[in-house]
């Protein structure tokens, strides 16, 4: 029998849109000879629906769409649809088996993840019963995402005489995650002796990006199929008896290629799903804004991207030249709006208030805020989304200005460490030269005072990023990080800055998550806190 895997890009809250898409994929798969179709976790409503799950009318809309699907799907095809389900006032993360014009069985997810970006215990009750259905002579057991990460549900399905396990997922991307998925499924296969088919969602939803990469393994844990990452795809798999037969395996992506695609898809879906006509960003002549511009053009096309250079008296001539050259290379609309007259006007207005005070970070931040105002004015006038260009290293230590370079609607590279920014820029230029080499090789600078570089205020980014990873992503203490060989002064300085700048991160725009722990859903520390690690 031929099985189809719908690696879908679902839209949160658009039940009929998602139902229409499921129906179209089911018809396409049926015409190709498939008789069983898998959709991702909560495919009918999109993932994660968050507090929409508290609304009873949300469940009513989902149930209406589910019944509509049952009436319109090919009657000779079985379709496993992920959806929210309310029973006797209790809410469940569910998957229903539809065939012959009706819902034949509904499975309730057993393990509700409540860590990292997941809050499922906030919304759902846990199920405790297996669902196994027979189709074309094979008994299939259903699992939903986290049910594959623990032994209980898979063993229950085996005890209910399942012969193949189907696991539907909304598993968001972070670097190196696919290898963890392989290991988890191999653990379940070793316990049960059953082949497994893993279906994953694809697409961007706020800060999460789902990478797809759906795959299948036989009962020996051998990979026999894998769909492409970061692409909608309808894949097919032949089941011979109770074994999936080897078929296409998409080639693996390098870390740089995968992260670049994640950022591209995350931006593309945020703009499309929220119906922005395009984006605007400040192009400084530095590497962060250059990488952001390259991704934006690749994601949206040059016609939907505008870049603005806003030089001050401290902006180096090479920055102006490099920004203009990059805008020319990617062929976007480009404006130059000098801010010196505006800055002088603010300084004149504040002269009485600041009498006797020296130039300091106040005037530096004022320049950044003028730029933020100009970008937001363009956004207001034309409806474009402002992209901020700060990276994770800057976000961690607060090397940014509230209401200045942080002003905007989407922080595309907010979870990308500075050292990875350089690697991504080099990767993009391998595909075609769009970032001038001098932008990559020159010392980074905010250019808010004379002769300024980032390392005037921060350790070298190789050191900063390593300390940040240890403290933020691995939860190591200051003493443990020092024991790794980093200078005590650097460790104490960086960790203190990370702790002090939580208030800024709470006010930052949402952005794409690509690490195992990003700032946002992953890491929620109190702003007012006197604990030191």
């Amino acid at each position: 029998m031929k099985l189809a895997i719908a690696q879908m890009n679902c839209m949160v809250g658009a039940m009929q849109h998602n139902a229409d898409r499921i129906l179209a994929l089911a018809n396409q798969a049926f015409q190709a000879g498939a008789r069983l179709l898998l959709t991702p976790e909560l495919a009918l409503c999109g993932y994660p629906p968050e507090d929409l799950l508290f609304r009873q009318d949300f469940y009513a809309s989902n149930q209406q769409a589910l019944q509509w699907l049952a009436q319109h799907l090919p009657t000779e095809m079985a379709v496993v649809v992920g959806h929210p389900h309310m029973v006797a006032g209790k809410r469940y993360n569910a998957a229903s088996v539809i065939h012959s014009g009706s819902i034949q069985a509904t499975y309730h997810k057993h393990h509700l993840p409540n860590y990292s970006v997941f809050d499922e215990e906030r919304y759902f009750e846990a199920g405790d019963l297996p669902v196994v259905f027979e189709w074309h002579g094979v008994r299939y057991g259903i699992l939903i995402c986290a049910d594959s990460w623990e032994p209980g549900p898979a063993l229950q399905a085996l005890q209910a005489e399942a012969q193949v396990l189907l696991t539907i997922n909304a598993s968001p991307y972070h670097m190196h995650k696919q290898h963890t998925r392989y290991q988890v499924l191999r653990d379940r296969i070793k316990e049960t002796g059953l082949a497994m088919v893993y279906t994953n969602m694809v697409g961007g939803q706020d800060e999460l990006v789902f990478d797809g990469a759906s795959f299948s393994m036989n009962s020996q844990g051998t990979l026999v199929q894998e769909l492409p990452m970061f692409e909608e795809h309808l894949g097919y798999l032949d089941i011979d008896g109770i074994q999936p037969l080897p078929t296409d395996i998409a080639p693996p992506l390098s870390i740089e290629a995968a992260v670049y695609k994640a950022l591209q898809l995350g931006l593309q879906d945020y703009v499309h799903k929220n119906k922005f006509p395009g984006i605007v960003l400040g192009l400084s002549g530095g590497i962060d804004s250059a990488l952001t511009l390259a991704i934006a053009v690749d994601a949206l096309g040059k016609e939907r991207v505008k870049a603005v250079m806003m030089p001050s008296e401290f902006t180096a001539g090479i920055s102006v030249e490099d920004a203009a050259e990059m805008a020319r290379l990617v062929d976007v609309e480009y404006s130059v709006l000098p801010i010196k007259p505006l800055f002088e006007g603010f300084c004149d207005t504040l002269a009485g208030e600041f009498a006797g005070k020296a130039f300091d970070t106040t005037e530096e931040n004022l320049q950044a805020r003028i730029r933020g105002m100009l970008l937001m004015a363009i956004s207001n006038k034309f409806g474009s989304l402002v992209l901020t260009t700060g990276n994770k290293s800057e976000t961690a230590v607060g090397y940014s200005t509230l209401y200045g370079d942080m002003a905007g609607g989407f922080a595309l590279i907010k979870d990308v460490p500075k050292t990875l920014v350089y690697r991504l820029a080099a990767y993009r230029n391998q595909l075609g030269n769009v970032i001038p080499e001098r932008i990559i090789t020159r010392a980074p600078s905010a250019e808010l005072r004379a002769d300024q570089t980032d390392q005037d205020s921060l350790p070298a980014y190789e050191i900063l990023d390593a300390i940040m990873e240890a403290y933020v992503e691995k939860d190591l203490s200051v003493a443990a990080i020092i024991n790794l060989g980093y200078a005590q002064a650097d460790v104490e300085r960086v960790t203190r800055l990370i702790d002090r700048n939580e208030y800024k991160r709470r006010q930052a725009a949402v952005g794409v998550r690509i690490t195992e722990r990003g700032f946002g859903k992953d890491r929620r520390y109190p702003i007012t806190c006197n604990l030191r690690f």
Side-chain angles (χ1 to χ4, degrees):
M1 188 203 72
K2 181 175 286 188
L3 178 153
I5 295 172
Q7 187 166 284
M8 288 177 59
N9 190 335
C10 304
M11 191 177 300
V12 167
M15 277 70 78
Q16 191 57 52
H17 168 88
N18 296 331
D20 289 341
R21 183 68 178 141
I22 292 170
L23 177 60
L25 291 169
N27 286 330
Q28 182 180 340
F30 187 79
Q31 291 299 317
R35 292 299 177 263
L36 174 60
L37 174 71
L38 304 184
T39 71
E41 178 181 10
L42 294 186
L44 196 58
C45 68
Y47 190 95
E50 299 185 304
D51 282 9
L52 293 173
L53 290 163
F54 289 136
R55 299 183 62 93
Q56 288 196 1
D57 49 358
F58 183 69
Y59 292 87
S61 296
N62 275 277
Q63 192 63 26
Q64 182 180 357
L66 192 66
Q67 292 294 340
W68 180 89
L69 268 177
Q71 294 164 14
H72 290 83
L73 287 168
T75 57
E76 297 175 14
M77 169 177 267
V79 182
V80 179
V81 179
H83 64 95
H85 191 212
M86 181 175 284
V87 181
K90 293 184 177 181
R91 303 183 296 266
Y92 296 95
N93 185 336
S96 287
V97 182
I98 302 174
H99 66 79
S100 306
S102 64
I103 298 168
Q104 302 293 326
T106 298
Y107 174 81
H108 293 153
K109 186 175 182 178
H110 292 197
H111 288 288
L112 305 175
N114 215 59
Y115 55 86
S116 182
V117 300
F118 305 106
D119 289 311
E120 291 201 21
E121 288 184 7
R122 175 179 170 88
Y123 304 111
F124 296 122
E125 300 283 340
D128 57 8
L129 297 176
V131 165
V132 175
F133 68 99
E134 185 169 344
W135 191 245
H136 286 239
V138 179
R139 293 178 59 81
Y140 295 95
I142 299 176
L143 304 175
I144 302 178
C145 205
D147 292 339
S148 303
W149 293 67
E150 304 291 340
L155 288 171
Q156 280 187 292
L158 176 65
Q159 292 161 4
E161 302 182 354
Q163 297 171 301
V164 176
L165 295 176
L166 310 175
T167 174
I168 68 171
N169 300 265
S171 177
Y173 170 79
H174 63 68
M175 291 185 288
H176 310 294
K177 190 168 188 180
Q178 187 73 344
H179 296 291
T180 304
R181 295 172 183 147
Y182 291 160
Q183 187 56 54
V184 165
L185 259 66
R186 287 189 172 116
D187 288 344
R188 302 292 81 78
I189 290 169
K190 184 177 180 180
E191 291 162 358
T192 63
L194 302 181
M196 296 190 72
V197 181
Y198 174 101
T199 305
N200 193 26
M201 188 176 289
V202 71
Q205 173 59 32
D206 296 341
E207 69 190 66
L208 301 182
V209 176
F210 301 92
D211 53 327
S214 305
F215 62 94
S216 302
M217 290 179 170
N218 64 22
S219 59
Q220 286 74 50
T222 302
L223 186 70
V224 297
Q225 178 202 38
E226 185 165 333
L227 304 189
M229 298 181 75
F230 305 107
E231 298 176 19
E232 273 203 306
H233 197 89
L234 185 59
Y236 296 100
L237 184 70
D238 286 320
I239 305 290
D240 183 12
I242 59 173
Q243 291 292 350
L245 299 179
T247 184
D248 296 336
I249 297 177
L253 300 177
S254 68
I255 288 296
E256 292 81 9
V259 170
Y260 197 92
K261 283 180 176 289
L263 296 168
Q264 186 176 333
L265 180 58
L267 174 61
Q268 181 183 76
D269 275 2
Y270 194 83
V271 170
H272 288 173
K273 291 178 180 180
N274 288 293
K275 298 179 174 59
F276 288 103
I279 67 94
V280 60
L281 61 82
L283 189 63
S284 68
I287 192 164
D288 295 323
S289 62
L291 177 63
T292 302
L293 176 59
I295 297 169
V297 172
D298 289 340
L300 305 171
K302 64 182 183 181
E303 298 81 7
R304 301 179 70 186
V305 176
K306 179 181 176 65
V308 184
M309 174 42 138
M310 295 168 283
S312 75
E313 61 184 292
F314 304 110
T315 301
I318 60 173
S319 296
V320 177
E321 294 169 7
D322 290 346
E325 175 63 9
M326 169 127 198
R328 185 192 68 79
L329 287 171
V330 294
D331 194 22
V332 296
E333 182 183 354
Y334 179 63
S335 298
V336 178
L337 304 177
I339 67 166
K340 184 178 180 180
L342 295 169
F343 178 61
E344 291 175 344
F346 273 97
C347 290
D348 289 344
T349 300
L350 292 166
E353 296 290 329
F354 294 170
K357 298 289 185 179
F359 184 108
D360 60 13
T361 55
T362 305
E363 284 77 14
E364 293 181 29
N365 290 339
L366 184 55
Q367 296 167 70
R369 290 181 175 126
I370 290 169
R371 291 178 173 129
M373 283 191 294
L374 292 175
L375 291 175
M376 290 307 303
I378 293 170
S379 172
N380 289 162
K381 186 64 70 175
F382 299 102
S384 301
L385 174 70
V386 176
L387 297 189
T388 67
T389 60
N391 59 64
K392 186 172 188 175
S393 309
E394 296 171 346
T395 300
V397 298
Y399 196 67
S400 55
T401 303
L402 271 178
Y403 325 119
D405 54 323
M406 291 178 65
F410 198 72
L412 180 59
I413 61 171
K414 71 178 289 186
D415 199 35
V416 181
K418 185 77 169 190
T419 49
L420 183 53
V421 168
Y422 283 101
R423 289 163 55 193
L424 292 175
Y427 163 77
R428 180 58 185 86
N429 273 1
Q430 291 172 5
L431 304 180
N433 189 58
V434 296
I435 300 176
E437 186 64 22
R438 191 164 60 183
I439 289 179
I440 298 175
T441 56
R442 64 184 292 217
S445 171
E447 295 190 322
L448 296 174
R449 65 172 185 268
D451 302 318
Q452 182 182 32
T453 68
D454 290 3
Q455 266 56 69
D456 296 339
S457 307
L458 302 171
Y461 278 115
E462 292 80 3
I463 295 171
L464 191 159
D465 286 356
I467 295 171
M468 175 182 66
E469 180 181 2
Y471 191 63
V472 173
E473 297 183 30
K474 298 179 180 178
D475 281 328
L476 296 186
S477 67
V478 168
I481 300 171
I482 293 171
N483 287 339
L484 293 175
Y486 296 101
Q488 180 175 343
D490 286 339
V491 175
E492 290 180 346
R493 182 183 181 191
V494 170
T495 56
R496 182 172 61 252
L497 286 170
I498 291 172
D499 290 343
R500 284 177 54 190
N501 283 283
E502 180 67 20
Y503 79 99
K504 281 190 181 180
R505 294 189 290 270
R506 291 288 183 93
Q507 300 178 68
V510 66
V512 178
R513 170 187 182 264
I514 56 97
T515 67
E516 195 165 355
R517 181 175 290 180
F519 295 116
K521 283 179 175 289
D522 280 302
R523 189 180 190 273
R524 289 165 275 185
Y525 271 52
I527 295 171
T528 305
C529 178
N530 290 294
L531 179 64
R532 291 287 296 146
F533 294 99

